[in-house]
Amino acid sequence: MSSPTTRVVAGRQITFPVPVVSASISGAAFLSRTAVARRLIAAGPQSAVLDSAGAEPVSLPGGRTPVTMIHVRYHDVPGNVLGGYHEVGLAFQVKVPGVGVQQHIHELPVDQDFTLAAGNELWGFPKWKGDMVGTAGGALDDARLGAVGSSGAGGIDLKLDTRLGVPLPG
């Protein structure tokens, strides 16, 4: 039986907040052509929700939209309730009337069934499953997703040189 602070996903009880005690993350932020961001968002699974909210990609001078890509490797250690898995995220900045600028998580592929179910059921994230190899947080971060299953989902090849970058405060 679930209470307001617990939910059952795939037969496992999850208590909120859901702790993450060990993970490695790397990512990149860059500018994309706004027309490309608009086309990708319109073709995405959340397009109807974004349309009804009046969301539009942020368009900076020169017709560019801020984009963020991340690769997270959640380590398989005691305390990580969702277990060990890889996740790649693609997000666009969008402006929502009456709300302001938000990060729209456009894609969130993962490589494990349980986190796929938890992400979709608990938080409504646009997760899909893909084969993934690589590491995060090393000198050269390398994540690859390939087509899996009968749907033949597309893949991502992401390589981030994490030796260079902008230091962020702790």
Side-chain angles (χ1 to χ4, degrees):
M1 177 150 234
S2 292
S3 73
T5 58
T6 65
R7 295 272 307 270
V8 175
V9 175
R12 288 174 48 187
Q13 184 169 314
I14 303 296
T15 302
F16 291 88
V18 178
V20 173
V21 298
S22 181
S24 300
I25 185 170
S26 57
F30 54 93
L31 297 174
S32 171
R33 291 188 308 263
T34 299
V36 172
R38 185 173 286 115
R39 187 183 80 236
L40 289 171
I41 291 169
Q46 304 99 354
S47 61
V49 173
L50 293 168
D51 285 348
S52 68
E56 282 288 325
V58 167
S59 186
L60 300 175
R64 301 289 180 172
T65 297
V67 180
T68 306
M69 288 194 78
I70 63 163
H71 172 221
V72 184
R73 179 176 171 239
Y74 296 89
H75 303 277
D76 192 11
V77 299
N80 271 4
V81 173
L82 300 181
Y85 64 96
H86 288 265
E87 179 172 76
V88 173
L90 172 65
F92 299 100
Q93 279 192 359
V94 296
K95 187 171 185 177
V96 181
V99 177
V101 175
Q102 303 282 304
Q103 279 288 99
H104 161 60
I105 301 172
H106 183 69
E107 297 277 357
L108 204 57
V110 296
D111 66 347
Q112 299 296 317
D113 291 323
F114 182 71
T115 187
L116 172 67
N120 288 329
E121 292 176 32
L122 299 177
W123 296 288
F125 287 137
K127 290 192 175 190
W128 52 275
K129 188 174 176 196
D131 287 331
M132 206 173 306
V133 295
T135 61
L140 186 64
D141 184 11
D142 181 1
R144 285 185 293 280
L145 288 112
V148 297
S150 60
S151 67
I156 295 172
D157 191 351
L158 170 66
K159 291 184 181 185
L160 301 170
D161 185 343
T162 58
R163 296 170 291 188
L164 304 173
V166 179
L168 299 175

